[in-house]
């Protein structure tokens, strides 16, 4: 749960469960909460085959788009809490490669569990953990939030952040722009890993499988020929997989912290807009920044698409 919601810490969330916040709604596709829900929500089946992974899934693709080969590439949250049964299930999938997008200190604190089928582990850090509150606001401000949260004084949290000019909305937008502008070598390396047939099946992940993983998934899907609408649908599907916890936070939590909870349309859009601003088009970004030629892209499509033509 700590991995999914970003800003809130494990201790804070543990107390939320007993702090009288609203219970989660049972139908995310019909929610009236201010949560971004993917298009054609009812057609998306939420399946969680791995007990201790909240956001492990194949890419969410439309029936009228390119067809992905099954069980070749998965996106996920971090693999640090796997049970033995979870490890066996992942091994049974034949996972060959794990691409970990977390920073080194995250790996040290929450190392992934071993999966016996994996031959290749690669760390491509795309910035620090979005849950690192020190990167979002001064620690003296963060320390005041905790007791206010525990006592349900959410209006006071909103005022506290306003008084200290803490703007999480724009901080998150800037973070997503950084994905496109500051971590090109890591994204390029990821795309080159996809060239080799022996690297599949492959899992890529960060902490919660939402932000860093969401951007990498977007790059992969656009490269394969999916539309930005398809990318948005896959990105927002995280809100379905994490809906129970997310709805409790958004339904009763402070407004100022909402941009840190769940997947937001404007955040992934900011990253894709940054690509267009800097390179003119995604195709230019793929070729010139990521260094994936048209011939190399054809190899990736051959590896991942049923019909790569």
């Amino acid at each position: 749960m700590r991995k999914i919601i970003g800003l809130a810490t494990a201790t804070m969330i543990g107390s939320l469960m007993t702090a009288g916040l609203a219970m989660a709604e049972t139908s995310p596709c019909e929610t009236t909460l201010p949560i971004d829900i993917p298009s054609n929500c009812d057609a998306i089946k939420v399946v969680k085959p791995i007990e201790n992974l909240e956001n492990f899934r194949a890419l969410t693709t439309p029936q009228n788009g390119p067809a992905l080969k099954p069980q070749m590439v998965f996106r996920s949250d971090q693999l640090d809490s796997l049970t033995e049964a979870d490890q066996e299930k992942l091994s049974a999938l034949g996972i060959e490669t794990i691409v970990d997008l977390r920073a080194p200190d995250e790996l040290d604190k929450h190392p992934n569990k071993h999966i016996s089928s994996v031959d290749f582990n690669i760390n491509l850090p795309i910035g620090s953990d979005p849950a690192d509150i020190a990167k979002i606001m001064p620690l003296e401000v963060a320390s005041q939030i905790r007791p206010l949260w525990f006592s349900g004084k959410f209006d006071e949290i909103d005022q506290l952040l306003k008084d200290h000019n803490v703007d999480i909305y724009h901080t998150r937008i800037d973070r997503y722009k950084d994905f496109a502008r500051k971590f090109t070598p890591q994204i390029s390396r990821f795309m080159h890993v996809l060239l080799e047939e022996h690297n599949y099946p492959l899992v890529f992940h960060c902490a919660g499988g939402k932000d860093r993983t969401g951007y990498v998934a977007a790059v992969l899907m656009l490269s394969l020929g999916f539309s930005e609408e398809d990318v948005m649908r896959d990105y927002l599907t995280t809100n379905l997989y994490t809906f129970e916890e997310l709805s409790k936070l958004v339904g009763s939590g402070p407004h100022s912290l909402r941009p840190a909870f769940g997947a937001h349309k404007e955040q992934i859009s900011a990253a894709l807009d940054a690509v267009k601003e800097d390179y003119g088009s995604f195709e230019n970004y793929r070729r010139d920044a990521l260094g994936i030629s048209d011939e190399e892209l054809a190899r990736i499509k051959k590896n991942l698409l049923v019909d790569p033509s």
Side-chain angles (χ1 to χ4, degrees):
M1 202 178 300
R2 179 202 63 82
K3 301 178 292 186
I4 300 299
I5 52 77
L7 181 62
T9 63
T11 303
M12 181 183 290
I13 295 304
S15 74
L16 285 180
M17 309 307 286
T18 58
L21 292 188
M23 293 301 292
E25 298 182 17
T26 57
S27 179
C29 294
E30 299 175 0
T31 183
T32 58
L33 293 170
I35 297 171
D36 289 334
I37 298 301
S39 61
N40 301 318
C41 179
D42 289 330
I44 300 173
K45 187 175 181 180
V46 175
V47 178
K48 299 184 181 183
I50 312 299
E51 180 181 357
N52 278 4
L53 291 179
E54 283 295 308
N55 205 11
F56 175 84
R57 54 190 173 90
L59 299 175
T60 309
T61 57
Q63 292 184 346
N64 61 349
L68 288 173
K69 294 178 181 178
Q71 297 189 338
M72 290 292 284
V73 62
F74 301 91
R75 51 179 296 173
S76 182
D77 40 326
Q78 65 193 26
L79 313 175
D80 63 320
S81 300
L82 300 176
T83 65
E84 289 187 8
D86 291 338
Q87 292 167 278
E88 291 173 2
K89 287 179 182 178
L90 289 169
S91 182
L93 287 172
I95 303 299
E96 289 281 348
T97 302
I98 301 291
V99 180
D100 194 329
L101 306 174
R102 297 177 297 163
D105 64 317
E106 296 176 79
L107 275 65
D108 290 340
K109 293 176 183 176
H110 304 283
N112 285 340
K113 291 292 184 67
H114 175 69
I115 300 169
S116 60
S117 64
V118 172
D119 288 329
F120 186 25
N121 283 280
I122 181 170
N123 179 216
L124 301 175
I126 301 180
S128 60
D129 183 0
D132 186 351
I133 200 167
K135 301 291 194 303
I136 300 173
M137 65 185 72
L139 288 178
E140 60 269 22
V141 176
S143 65
Q144 296 178 62
I145 288 179
R146 191 166 179 263
L148 291 174
W149 188 298
F150 288 166
S151 57
K153 297 178 179 179
F154 301 133
D155 289 342
E156 293 186 29
I157 292 176
D158 291 337
Q159 189 61 48
L160 173 69
L161 297 186
K162 182 179 180 180
D163 291 344
H164 288 83
N165 296 315
V166 176
D167 184 348
I168 294 177
Y169 176 87
H170 287 99
T171 297
R172 298 284 297 173
I173 294 292
D174 290 342
R175 174 68 188 276
Y176 269 74
K177 290 179 180 179
D178 286 348
F179 292 158
R181 290 173 167 155
K182 294 186 177 180
F183 302 101
T184 301
Q186 292 90 328
I187 307 297
S188 173
R189 180 71 178 109
F190 172 80
M191 293 297 293
H192 281 85
V193 167
L194 301 179
L195 288 168
E196 304 302 329
E197 187 177 359
H198 60 260
N199 286 335
Y200 298 96
L202 175 149
V203 175
F204 62 100
H205 74 90
C206 53
K210 172 172 68 74
D211 300 311
R212 294 168 287 186
T213 297
Y215 179 70
V216 170
V219 170
L220 172 55
M221 291 183 69
L222 290 173
S223 297
L224 291 175
F226 291 96
S227 68
E228 286 194 15
E229 181 181 354
D230 298 332
V231 165
M232 185 65 73
R233 185 171 184 259
D234 178 66
Y235 172 72
L236 294 180
T237 295
T238 284
N239 290 347
L240 303 186
Y241 273 72
T242 62
F243 181 75
E244 184 175 352
E245 289 79 21
L246 178 60
S247 61
K248 294 170 187 173
L249 292 165
V250 172
S252 299
H255 290 258
S256 55
L257 296 181
R258 284 181 181 174
F261 303 147
H264 297 265
K265 292 178 180 179
E266 64 271 19
Q267 294 178 9
I268 192 67
S269 293
L272 299 181
D273 288 345
V275 166
K276 296 172 194 172
E277 290 170 8
D278 292 356
Y279 298 96
S281 70
F282 179 82
E283 292 302 309
N284 290 342
Y285 169 73
R286 185 259 300 169
R287 284 193 298 263
D288 301 338
L290 303 183
I292 296 293
S293 67
D294 293 347
E295 293 76 17
E296 288 172 321
L297 179 59
R299 284 172 56 189
I300 295 173
K301 288 183 176 181
K302 183 178 179 181
N303 289 334
L304 287 176
L305 297 181
V306 173
D307 180 7
S309 59

